[in-house]
Amino acid sequence: MTIRRAVLTVLVLLGTPLLLLSAGALTLNELRRSQPPDLPLETSAVVLDRHGRLLRAFTVEDGRWRLPVSLDEVDPLYLRMLLGYEDQRFWQHAGVDLRALPRAAWQALRQGRIVSGGSTLTMQVVRLRLGLATGSLEDKWRQLGGALALERVKDKHQVLEAYLNLAPFGGNLEGVRAASLAWLGREPRRLTPAQAALLVALPQAPEQRRPDRSPEAARRGRDRVLSRAEALGLIDADTAAAARREPIPTQRRAFPMLAPHLARRALTLSPAAGVHRLTLDARLQARLQRLAAEHAARLPDAVSVAILVVDHGSGEVLASVGSAGLLERERDGFVDMTGALRSPGSTLKPLIYGLAFELGLAHPESLIEDRPRAFGGYVPENFDRGFQGTVTVRAALQQSLNVPAVTLLERVGPARLLARLRRAGAEPHLPEAAAGAGLAIGLGGVGLSLTDLVSIYAAIARGGDPVTLRDGLRLPESADRFTAFADTTASVASTDSTRPADFAGPTGGTGLSTRMGTTAERNPVLPPRAAWYLASILSGAERLDQIGGAIALKTGTSYGYRDAWALGFDGKQVIGVWSGRPDGAAVPGLTGTEAAVPILRDAFARLDDRVPLPGPPFDVLMASSAELPPPLRRVDGNASGAPVDRLEIAFPPDGAVVDLGLGLGLGLGQGSGAELALKVRNGSPPFQWLANGRPIAHAPYARSVQWRPEGPGFATIAVIDGQGQSSRVSVSLQ
């Protein structure tokens, strides 16, 4: 190094005293004219959960991770180590440490280059903010003037906080929070001494000490910081020795990617906001995202999973899993299936029954028929193609029988069902070709999202009162109510019925932020009595015994095995699960029971807080079928009150000769020979059978009974149903 350059180096490094003495007032005026750098800087937009935990962060425009952090969000030991190693007189100097400059000048003369530079943290902030070179004399001068100017307009806390957000840590990492998450996998609020020392050492040589590329260099830098901390009395010898034994991380960790769909939506709705806070719980969200991915891996290719968890008391969304994985290309993981319009299958049946309870048309122990029946041109069938005959309403809902559901919907009215769906906060979409609401909507012929269904079940869970679901997002007034994430066509016909018209619509939606208004502005969805009846029925349908406590549960499967659903609630939370292909393609064998219920069970097992279902309200009627008031004992399956079909004896036919082995003319007594099967067609139970005017059989709700005649001869067999209709035949018994 030349004599001239050495002298210039000394002058710069000795700083203000020598320069002022040699250059006089001109130099002083130049320093005073220095302008401070603009401290407000762009930081990564972050999305936080209800407790302030990080859900997701986004890079700044130049692709750097610069997560915002404040002094109170950083471990105090890290701050003490940082100041002890980098700038011991930070709180005393005015931006330039005059006592440190002679040392730096002497090192430069000895080494022939700038070694430490005598830079304060304030000078480093100026260098980082202005992009100045570390070995340039001209840039060092600009640091001096900028540091003095900066501390004239900003206090020490602001300067230190700026360093915490700007310091480089290797690659595209800037700021201690980004570094702590990437290298240590934790927030910088709580650090071990070894971790704190590593984060102090990295900015000195961020590329040379990158732990993933040069772990040994990183270790040496960390240990030097530990030695300085020990010498300053910040840590004791034992702590320092233990910290040196702590391994250096050798891999960079990925930043949290929790609720990625909802987080992206938050950024889209408010792009200028730096911090977005949602109602989600990060820990629960992480558990359920892993759960969705694990179960999706066991399902057929291209099948995804969506999960929504809501506190039905407050309406706050606690977890929102839009897919089995954002980066799962085969499963269209970018599509948020919590807002996709799909066929709900049988999941609307509870609301149909609840309306029947409200209108006094049925009671859980009322009897109802599950038999082949045409509703105009609509002929529903059960999932297994069979029929159960006369059953209680409770059993009909627990077994998800279709004819009883459509029978009640005919009485309740499809328009009333749609109105209650909207009252619950759902937004049903009818098939494009539909002239209006028909009976098929009760079995899945309407477009609804997982969010819609959770809103409905949340209302049932809270005793019939609607609740506005809230995720923390706020939608601008000019925003569209529905934004499609993908442009596919989804069929919304039900597996549990003959196929109604297809519904074509978007598979993605903007979600809960579109649901404005307050609960107080809306009328009840159901009265408390009806809602409790539903909870009682659904909690007895299929208990999730593995997790303890009763869960009110309903499943659904859409037409063609396109969508598998499971909705459940306890006394605090409601969980909705969907599984299927986002493109709406059929998946043979995909059912709510097989695909969605196991996910629902495991989701409830991962909740931190479980609350039992509430007890019955005061006006609940506890009675068996026979104890009910006559109007509630059975459900009339015809809205007009006219006979459904004419009663007739199906067997034996009139005039038949029946050989029962009775021994013609022998006069054998009762108990000899075979029994005669008596069958009735149509009519309404209870049925009363008579033979030659005398009552026989004791199964009033069965359509087939056995009768053992007393002997051979002619017999007149008659039957009377619950509507007063009668039919009779005459037969010859042998």
Side-chain angles (χ1 to χ4, degrees):
M1 184 169 69
T2 66
I3 298 296
R4 182 174 179 275
R5 180 174 175 81
V7 171
L8 288 175
T9 301
V10 171
L11 288 176
V12 171
L13 292 174
L14 288 178
T16 305
L18 282 179
L19 291 173
L20 289 179
L21 290 173
S22 62
L26 179 63
T27 304
L28 181 60
N29 289 334
E30 186 176 343
L31 286 174
R32 286 175 175 174
R33 287 197 302 268
S34 297
Q35 295 297 314
D38 186 17
L39 261 198
L41 64 152
E42 181 188 11
T43 56
S44 298
V46 294
V47 183
L48 309 178
D49 81 340
R50 63 194 299 115
H51 303 295
R53 303 187 190 102
L54 182 65
L55 292 170
R56 186 180 182 184
F58 299 87
T59 59
V60 295
E61 288 188 1
D62 61 0
R64 295 179 182 275
W65 294 101
R66 191 185 297 138
L67 277 62
V69 67
S70 59
L71 291 178
D72 59 359
E73 293 175 321
V74 178
D75 194 310
L77 176 60
Y78 165 78
L79 294 176
R80 291 194 297 270
M81 283 187 173
L82 173 65
L83 296 178
Y85 195 82
E86 289 281 2
D87 195 348
Q88 293 185 44
R89 285 172 289 279
F90 173 76
W91 299 107
Q92 288 79 40
H93 64 64
V96 177
D97 188 355
L98 302 180
R99 295 170 58 185
L101 289 172
R103 171 185 51 80
W106 175 247
Q107 290 175 342
L109 284 173
R110 292 184 60 188
Q111 301 293 329
R113 59 186 175 86
I114 296 176
V115 178
S116 64
S119 294
T120 64
L121 288 180
T122 310
M123 292 171 64
Q124 293 186 49
V125 168
V126 173
R127 175 178 62 82
L128 294 169
R129 193 71 183 98
L130 299 180
L132 303 178
T134 57
S136 166
L137 294 176
E138 181 181 355
D139 284 354
K140 183 65 68 174
W141 174 259
R142 294 179 63 187
Q143 287 185 52
L144 288 170
L148 293 171
L150 181 59
E151 293 216 4
R152 288 199 302 268
V153 297
K154 300 292 183 182
D155 65 33
K156 290 288 188 180
H157 294 87
Q158 292 173 306
V159 173
L160 182 55
E161 198 164 275
Y163 177 85
L164 297 181
N165 283 277
L166 276 172
F169 286 86
N172 63 345
L173 299 175
E174 289 188 358
V176 68
R177 187 180 184 192
S180 185
L181 288 168
W183 297 126
L184 306 175
R186 65 192 305 174
E187 293 281 358
R189 188 183 301 274
R190 294 288 182 271
L191 300 171
T192 67
Q195 293 169 339
L198 177 64
L199 294 180
V200 170
L202 290 182
Q204 296 177 352
E207 293 305 319
Q208 291 81 0
R209 293 177 177 176
R210 278 186 57 166
D212 58 338
R213 294 180 179 177
S214 304
E216 184 58 28
R219 184 192 63 77
R220 289 195 298 268
R222 180 201 67 181
D223 290 353
R224 278 197 288 271
V225 175
L226 289 170
S227 296
R228 176 71 63 83
E230 182 183 355
L232 294 174
L234 301 179
I235 56 176
D236 58 34
D238 291 341
T239 301
R244 292 187 186 95
R245 291 192 296 270
E246 193 169 309
I248 292 289
T250 57
Q251 287 186 333
R252 175 170 163 171
R253 301 167 184 260
F255 286 96
M257 185 71 76
L258 300 176
H261 303 91
L262 202 59
R264 170 61 69 177
R265 195 181 311 143
L267 186 64
T268 302
L269 294 177
S270 302
V275 179
H276 308 263
R277 189 181 290 271
L278 304 181
T279 62
L280 276 57
D281 182 293
R283 292 175 180 172
L284 178 62
Q285 180 73 30
R287 295 175 202 148
L288 296 189
Q289 284 186 200
R290 289 193 296 269
L291 175 67
E294 291 168 1
H295 278 271
R298 304 174 197 150
L299 294 170
D301 294 343
V303 172
S304 190
V305 170
I307 308 172
L308 197 61
V309 182
V310 170
D311 182 323
H312 56 70
S314 65
E316 292 181 340
V317 178
L318 304 179
S320 178
V321 181
S323 69
L326 183 68
L327 304 181
E328 289 280 342
R329 290 180 173 270
E330 183 185 16
R331 304 181 193 276
D332 291 336
F334 63 92
V335 181
D336 184 358
M337 295 306 297
T338 63
L341 294 177
R342 311 296 288 223
S343 163
S346 296
T347 57
L348 296 185
K349 287 177 180 174
L351 188 54
I352 296 172
Y353 283 78
L355 292 173
F357 298 151
E358 175 187 352
L359 298 174
L361 301 175
H363 179 276
E365 306 307 325
S366 298
L367 298 172
I368 194 167
E369 294 298 310
D370 178 42
R371 304 184 187 280
R373 183 185 171 196
F375 297 83
Y378 182 49
V379 184
E381 294 180 344
N382 287 322
F383 187 80
D384 61 1
R385 306 287 183 177
F387 295 91
Q388 300 298 314
T390 303
V391 295
T392 63
V393 164
R394 180 184 299 275
L397 179 53
Q398 289 178 343
Q399 298 176 46
S400 198
L401 303 177
N402 284 341
V403 172
V406 177
T407 297
L408 289 174
L409 181 57
E410 184 184 41
R411 299 293 304 276
V412 167
R416 189 192 304 270
L417 176 61
L418 280 179
R420 294 303 175 89
L421 292 176
R422 295 188 178 101
R423 189 180 291 184
E427 298 180 354
H429 287 241
L430 293 173
E432 291 179 344
L439 294 176
I441 69 171
L443 303 183
V446 62
L448 289 169
S449 68
L450 178 61
T451 299
D452 290 325
L453 290 174
V454 169
S455 296
I456 296 165
Y457 278 76
I460 296 173
R462 54 185 276 132
D465 287 336
V467 57
T468 299
L469 304 193
R470 300 186 295 112
D471 54 22
L473 301 185
R474 289 296 178 266
L475 193 68
E477 292 182 2
S478 60
D480 296 333
R481 278 186 76 76
F482 282 88
T483 302
F485 283 92
D487 188 15
T488 58
T489 299
S491 167
V492 295
S494 172
T495 289
D496 301 332
S497 67
T498 55
R499 182 176 183 174
D502 285 347
F503 171 85
T507 61
T510 57
L512 308 185
S513 56
T514 65
R515 305 181 189 283
M516 299 301 183
T518 63
T519 301
E521 296 171 354
R522 305 211 301 262
N523 293 321
V525 177
L526 291 172
R529 180 187 69 257
W532 186 86
Y533 282 151
L534 292 178
S536 172
I537 294 171
L538 297 177
S539 62
E542 185 171 350
R543 290 182 178 274
L544 306 183
D545 294 326
Q546 297 90 331
I547 59 176
I551 301 296
L553 167 67
K554 183 69 184 77
T555 63
T557 306
S558 67
Y559 181 86
Y561 302 99
R562 288 175 168 84
D563 306 278
W565 304 92
L567 282 299
F569 60 86
D570 63 6
K572 181 176 177 59
Q573 290 114 162
V574 56
I575 300 180
V577 173
W578 169 89
S579 182
R581 288 182 53 139
D583 61 6
V587 184
L590 188 78
T591 66
T593 300
E594 296 297 325
V597 168
I599 302 174
L600 184 77
R601 176 198 62 219
D602 291 348
F604 268 105
R606 282 158 174 76
L607 295 179
D608 291 325
D609 188 18
R610 292 286 311 283
V611 176
L613 291 167
F618 73 93
D619 56 350
V620 163
L621 175 60
M622 301 288 197
S624 65
S625 301
E627 296 169 336
L628 290 173
L632 286 177
R633 288 178 185 170
R634 63 166 293 98
V635 176
D636 181 2
N638 187 280
S640 66
V644 176
D645 288 295
R646 180 168 180 77
L647 178 74
E648 59 179 330
I649 294 176
F651 188 86
D654 189 36
V657 177
V658 184
D659 186 0
L660 299 176
L662 296 175
L664 184 60
L666 298 179
L668 298 177
Q670 187 175 6
S672 301
E675 291 182 331
L676 176 63
L678 308 177
K679 299 181 181 181
V680 63
R681 180 186 299 118
N682 304 325
S684 302
F687 300 106
Q688 176 61 64
W689 291 90
L690 301 101
N692 298 322
R694 297 174 58 187
I696 59 174
H698 300 284
Y701 294 102
R703 290 183 174 269
S704 178
V705 298
Q706 299 292 323
W707 171 56
R708 188 182 299 278
E710 293 183 356
F714 288 96
T716 299
I717 301 172
V719 63
I720 304 171
D721 76 351
Q723 298 289 332
Q725 298 185 90
S726 64
S727 177
R728 68 183 60 208
V729 296
S730 294
V731 296
S732 175
L733 304 176
Q734 299 181 2

